[in-house]
């Protein structure tokens, strides 16, 4: 295990042999995090979507794989860190858009694969070695451009005419002196129209287990979502969007039921379900999204208006939290040992804030603004936070095993909303007159209010006592016979089926010797069983007691039937119920 004891903080650059420097005991004791590494010269330039943690070799040692953009965005590389050491780096053909780990098959050894989305391709690595390359299918080309290049291939059109025709379809203009060489170089090649990948995530195939096989979900520049098979890398599903997706969040299983949330560049979030080629729900932010994280059944979205929003998957806004600075990066913090899921937001004011719903749990202050976040198992530590900074630095922190995130523990003092001034309306003449009246008759008004309140309480107490004395309740309040009664009437008439559901709510003692009696108007109704005994009531079971009620009136009159549950030899009912009988809608048979 590469992490050090609690008495030390590691503060080297990425080197095989780090140097140790003692930490401040007071500051570390008050923090929930242990400092493992703080290297301002790590030369790492990436963002949250390009960070992935996994045990790539099955040896129990979790490593960090990242798609690095390079210091000037022109030297993309796949870098792998083990502990504090950069163990490998491989060049990438294009700038990375996302990096995810997923399980391709269920057979042993169950080591995850690494997928890097770069340009129009997905590069898959097994054991951190190149394994497979998936390329997006080509798009249909412009027929006019295809015809023009076919003519140029047969020397049926001169370069000047070709340049003028291609400029009409927004072809990249070239100087006339360069045009002839360009045409001669490319006229023999076939025309291809290729899109690129903008975002990527994973979706479980048929099981919800943590180590289950997963599909890759790709968002492309031509406003499409593609779901790839994890073994054959064929397209299982294709969905269309109104705009280009920038962030993706997936939940569920592809073979059962799943939901995809895509935050797009038009400032909207689209929700797609299984078997839907187009979005089912739309969430309009009114601003550009800068991050999307799924926490249980809530979508947490960060916007460029310095705010976090919580939405349901049906588009209902749950809450909004205003940030003190711009949001630079977002990711999920999941502490499995305590069942906690929270959202991490890196801000431009050199803070990383952790929220559970809209409650602030913790604030981490960094020496530089953080541009990417990743939380998970690293090395042999379960809860590790990895951050990269704007200047290319790397910060690694370990969550203490005794750390507990308490609500409101992240900020002290009054909330920021308390400093907002209220728009108090001006005092009107009516308000001044009412204030003077309350000053003069305040004592009398208070006494009147108290008298009315006492009278209300008295009437409520009397009604409650009357209900207890007459057992006008479907639930028995005595400890000896804890019973519950529920009645159901079925039928259109003139004959109704009346079912009484009687239940013994005690924990261990059965009840015996009960009878049921019906009180009704004999002119309106007839019951074949108006009085019968109740069998032995076993605790916890529901006993349906059925009887039939015949309506004798042909004028559509209905009445109340009272049901009384009594103990044999006693006249006071244990509980009772009033059944409002429906009007008879049927016709009696002759």
């Amino acid at each position: 295990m590469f992490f050090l004891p609690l008495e030390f903080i590691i503060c080297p650059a990425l080197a095989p042999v780090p140097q140790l420097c003692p930490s401040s005991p007071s500051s570390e004791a008050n923090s929930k995090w242990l400092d493992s590494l703080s290297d301002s010269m790590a030369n790492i330039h990436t963002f949250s979507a390009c960070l992935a943690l996994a045990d790539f070799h099955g040896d129990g040692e979790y490593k960090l794989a990242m798609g690095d953009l390079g210091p000037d965005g022109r030297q993309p590389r796949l870098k792998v860190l083990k502990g504090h050491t950069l163990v490998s780096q491989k060049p990438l053909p294009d700038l990375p858009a996302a990096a995810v780990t997923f399980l391709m098959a269920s057979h042993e050894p169950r080591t995850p694969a690494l997928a890097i989305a770069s340009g129009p391709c997905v590069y898959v690595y097994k054991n951190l070695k190149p394994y497979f390359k998936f390329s997006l299918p080509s798009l249909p080309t412009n027929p006019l451009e295809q015809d023009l290049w076919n003519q140029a291939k047969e020397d049926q059109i001169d370069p000047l005419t070709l340049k003028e025709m291609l400029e009409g379809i927004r072809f990249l203009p070239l100087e006339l002196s360069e045009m002839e060489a360009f045409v001669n170089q490319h006229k023999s090649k076939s025309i291809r129209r290729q899109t690129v990948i903008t975002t990527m995530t994973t979706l479980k195939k048929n099981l919800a287990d943590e180590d289950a096989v997963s599909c890759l979900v790709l968002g492309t520049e031509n406003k499409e979502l593609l779901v790839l098979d994890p073994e054959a890398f064929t397209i299982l599903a294709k969905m269309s969007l109104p705009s280009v997706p920038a962030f993706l969040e997936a939940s569920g299983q592809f073979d059962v039921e799943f939901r995809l949330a895509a935050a797009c560049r038009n400032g909207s979030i689209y929700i797609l379900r299984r078997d839907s080629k187009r979005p089912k729900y739309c969430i309009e932010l009114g601003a550009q999204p800068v991050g999307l994280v799924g926490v249980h059944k809530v979508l947490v979205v960060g916007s460029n208006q310095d705010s976090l929003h919580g939405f349901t998957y049906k588009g209902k806004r749950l809450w909004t939290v205003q940030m003190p600075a711009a949001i630079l990066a977002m990711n999920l913090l999941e502490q499995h040992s305590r069942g906690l899921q929270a959202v991490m937001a890196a801000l431009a004011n050199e803070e990383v804030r952790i929220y559970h719903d809209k409650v602030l749990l913790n604030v981490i202050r960094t020496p530089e603004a953080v541009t990417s976040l990743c939380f998970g198992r690293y090395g042999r530590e379960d809860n590790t936070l990895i951050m990269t900074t704007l200047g290319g630095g790397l910060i690694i922190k370990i969550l203490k095993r005794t750390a507990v995130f308490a609500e409101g523990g992240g900020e002290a003092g009054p909330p920021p909303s308390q400093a907002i001034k209220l728009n108090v309306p001006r005092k009107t003449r009516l308000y001044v007159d009412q204030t003077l009246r309350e000053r003069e008759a305040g004592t009398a008004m208070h006494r009147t209010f108290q008298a009315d309140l006492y009278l209300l309480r008295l009437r409520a107490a009397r009604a409650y006592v009357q209900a207890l004395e007459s057992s006008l309740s479907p639930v028995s309040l005595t400890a000896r016979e804890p019973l519950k009664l529920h009645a159901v009437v079925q039928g259109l008439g003139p004959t109704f089926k009346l079912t009484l559901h009687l239940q013994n709510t005690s924990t261990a003692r059965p009840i015996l010797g009960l009878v049921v009696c019906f009180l009704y108007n004999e002119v309106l109704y007839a019951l074949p069983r108006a009085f019968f005994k109740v069998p032995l009531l076993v605790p916890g079971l529901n006993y349906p007691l059925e009887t039939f009620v015949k309506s004798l009136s042909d004028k559509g009159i209905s009445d109340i039937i009272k049901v009384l549950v009594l103990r044999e030899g006693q006249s006071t009912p244990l509980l009772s119920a009033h059944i409002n009988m429906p009007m008879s809608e049927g016709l009696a048979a002759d």
Side-chain angles (χ1 to χ4, degrees):
M1 188 165 63
F2 66 89
F3 297 108
L4 297 180
L6 308 184
E7 293 83 4
F8 297 94
I9 296 179
I10 304 177
C11 50
L14 288 177
V17 183
Q19 299 177 354
L20 303 181
C21 55
S23 64
S24 171
S26 60
S27 62
E28 188 165 326
N30 296 330
S31 174
K32 294 178 172 56
W33 303 88
L34 299 175
D35 293 329
S36 176
L37 177 68
S38 181
D39 181 12
S40 60
M41 305 295 292
N43 194 25
I44 295 176
H45 303 272
T46 186
F47 48 96
S48 300
C50 289
L51 299 178
L53 293 169
D55 181 10
F56 296 106
H57 298 96
D59 55 359
E61 188 80 15
Y62 278 66
K63 302 176 182 63
L64 172 66
M66 66 179 73
D68 188 82
L69 307 178
D72 54 357
R74 298 180 181 178
Q75 300 174 4
R77 291 181 177 275
L78 169 61
K79 295 184 178 180
V80 181
L81 269 71
K82 178 181 179 181
H84 298 158
T85 307
L86 181 66
V87 293
S88 70
Q89 54 178 334
K90 302 172 183 178
L92 292 174
D94 207 340
L95 292 177
V100 296
T101 59
F102 68 107
L103 203 64
M104 299 175 56
S106 56
H107 56 74
E108 299 293 337
R110 299 175 66 84
T111 55
L114 173 67
I116 300 288
S118 177
C121 303
V122 177
Y123 300 93
V124 181
Y125 297 82
K126 288 280 288 185
N127 297 322
L128 296 178
K129 296 180 180 179
Y131 176 79
F132 188 81
K133 172 187 173 182
F134 171 81
S135 299
L136 293 176
S138 300
L139 302 178
T141 59
N142 190 317
L144 176 59
E145 184 180 359
Q146 181 71 51
D147 183 60
L148 289 173
W149 281 106
N150 289 337
Q151 294 181 34
K153 185 177 181 180
E154 301 294 333
D155 294 328
Q156 298 177 359
I157 187 173
D158 59 279
L160 180 58
T161 306
L162 177 64
K163 179 178 184 296
E164 294 177 353
M165 296 295 292
L166 289 179
E167 285 179 350
I169 55 175
R170 293 186 297 182
F171 179 75
L172 182 64
L174 295 174
E175 296 294 335
L176 187 60
S177 58
E178 302 173 350
M179 191 66 194
E180 185 173 358
F182 181 84
V183 171
N184 293 331
Q185 180 182 357
H186 295 92
K187 66 181 181 180
S188 60
K189 299 178 181 179
S190 59
I191 297 179
R192 293 183 59 191
R193 179 173 167 230
Q194 189 71 58
T195 184
V196 295
I197 301 172
T198 59
T199 180
M200 179 173 62
T201 187
T202 58
L203 173 66
K204 300 296 183 183
K205 182 72 167 60
N206 48 27
L207 296 175
D209 299 339
E210 186 177 354
D211 58 346
V213 177
S214 301
C215 303
L216 292 179
V217 184
L218 310 179
T220 64
E221 189 72 32
N222 62 322
K223 306 175 184 179
E224 285 186 340
L225 294 182
L226 305 178
V227 182
L228 303 185
D229 182 82
E231 293 183 294
F233 290 97
T234 56
I235 298 176
L236 299 177
K238 182 184 292 187
M239 308 172 190
S240 299
L241 292 172
S243 181
V244 179
F247 302 96
L248 275 178
E249 187 66 33
S251 63
Q253 300 90 48
F254 178 80
D255 293 340
V256 184
E257 181 62 36
F258 65 88
R259 287 181 295 195
L260 297 177
C264 298
R265 294 178 185 170
N266 63 349
S268 298
I269 302 172
Y270 299 97
I271 312 298
L272 299 99
R273 304 289 293 269
R274 178 180 171 83
D275 299 328
S276 63
K277 300 299 181 182
R278 294 189 174 274
K280 187 174 180 63
Y281 302 102
C282 174
I283 303 171
E284 295 184 357
L285 288 177
Q288 288 295 322
V290 296
L292 178 66
V293 178
V295 182
H296 297 299
K297 295 184 179 181
V298 178
L299 284 174
V300 182
V301 187
S303 71
N304 63 350
Q305 293 180 344
D306 308 344
S307 58
L308 281 180
H309 308 275
F311 294 92
T312 66
Y313 274 90
K314 291 187 177 181
K316 180 181 179 182
R317 187 190 297 268
L318 299 176
W319 47 265
T320 298
V321 177
Q322 193 66 30
M323 298 287 106
I327 301 174
L328 302 182
M330 290 176 57
N331 214 328
L332 177 67
L333 183 149
E334 187 170 9
Q335 191 180 6
H336 295 282
S337 60
R338 301 187 183 274
L340 172 68
Q341 283 191 349
V343 176
M344 302 181 295
L347 307 182
N349 62 348
E350 301 179 356
E351 286 184 353
V352 176
R353 294 194 165 206
I354 302 174
Y355 284 89
H356 178 65
D357 289 338
K358 61 179 179 179
V359 179
L360 180 61
L361 300 181
N362 189 236
V363 176
I364 302 173
R365 290 172 175 82
T366 56
E368 195 177 0
V370 172
T371 56
S372 69
L373 297 164
C374 184
F375 184 87
R377 185 167 186 180
Y378 186 44
R380 298 185 184 274
E381 286 290 335
D382 290 332
N383 302 309
T384 305
L385 176 59
I386 300 173
M387 300 174 282
T388 64
T389 62
L390 192 62
L394 176 66
I395 301 173
I396 301 177
K397 291 181 177 290
I398 309 170
L399 183 64
K400 293 181 180 179
R401 293 179 174 86
T402 57
V404 177
F405 289 107
E407 294 188 355
E411 61 182 5
S417 58
Q418 188 171 324
I420 301 176
K421 294 183 178 180
L422 298 177
N423 187 14
V424 181
R426 296 180 60 185
K427 296 180 180 180
T428 62
R429 182 62 183 176
L430 179 61
Y431 171 84
V432 175
D433 294 342
Q434 190 71 10
T435 304
L436 295 177
R437 189 182 72 86
E438 290 178 0
R439 287 180 181 177
E440 296 174 356
T443 304
M445 294 172 62
H446 177 71
R447 289 175 180 174
T448 303
F449 171 79
Q450 292 295 328
D452 293 340
L453 179 62
Y454 291 148
L455 183 60
L456 177 63
R457 291 175 178 173
L458 177 62
R459 290 176 178 174
R462 285 177 178 174
Y464 180 71
V465 171
Q466 184 180 0
L468 292 180
E469 291 177 350
S470 57
S471 299
L472 295 176
S473 173
V475 179
S476 175
L477 300 177
T478 62
R480 293 190 58 187
E481 290 88 9
L483 301 171
K484 185 167 68 172
L485 178 64
H486 174 62
V488 177
V489 180
Q490 296 173 308
L492 298 176
T495 302
F496 300 94
K497 182 180 179 181
L498 178 59
T499 306
L500 303 177
H501 295 276
L502 193 60
Q503 184 178 0
N504 178 8
T505 59
S506 66
T507 57
R509 187 173 62 85
I511 299 178
L512 185 63
L514 301 181
V515 294
V516 173
C517 176
F518 295 89
L519 299 180
Y520 58 95
N521 190 342
E522 297 180 355
V523 178
L524 300 178
Y525 299 104
L527 275 75
R529 298 177 61 196
F531 182 89
F532 56 85
K533 293 185 178 182
V534 178
L536 173 70
L537 299 181
V538 178
L541 295 183
N542 186 19
Y543 289 82
L545 307 175
E546 299 178 353
T547 186
F548 291 89
V549 180
K550 184 176 182 181
S551 177
L552 303 179
S553 174
D554 57 351
K555 299 180 181 180
I557 301 176
S558 63
D559 198 5
I560 295 176
I561 295 180
K562 297 180 180 179
V563 183
L564 306 178
V565 179
L566 306 96
R567 177 166 290 281
E568 291 182 353
Q570 295 182 3
S571 59
T572 304
L574 299 176
L575 70 162
S576 63
H578 290 191
I579 304 172
N580 292 316
M581 295 297 296
M583 291 188 298
S584 177
E585 297 180 5
L587 297 176
D590 293 337

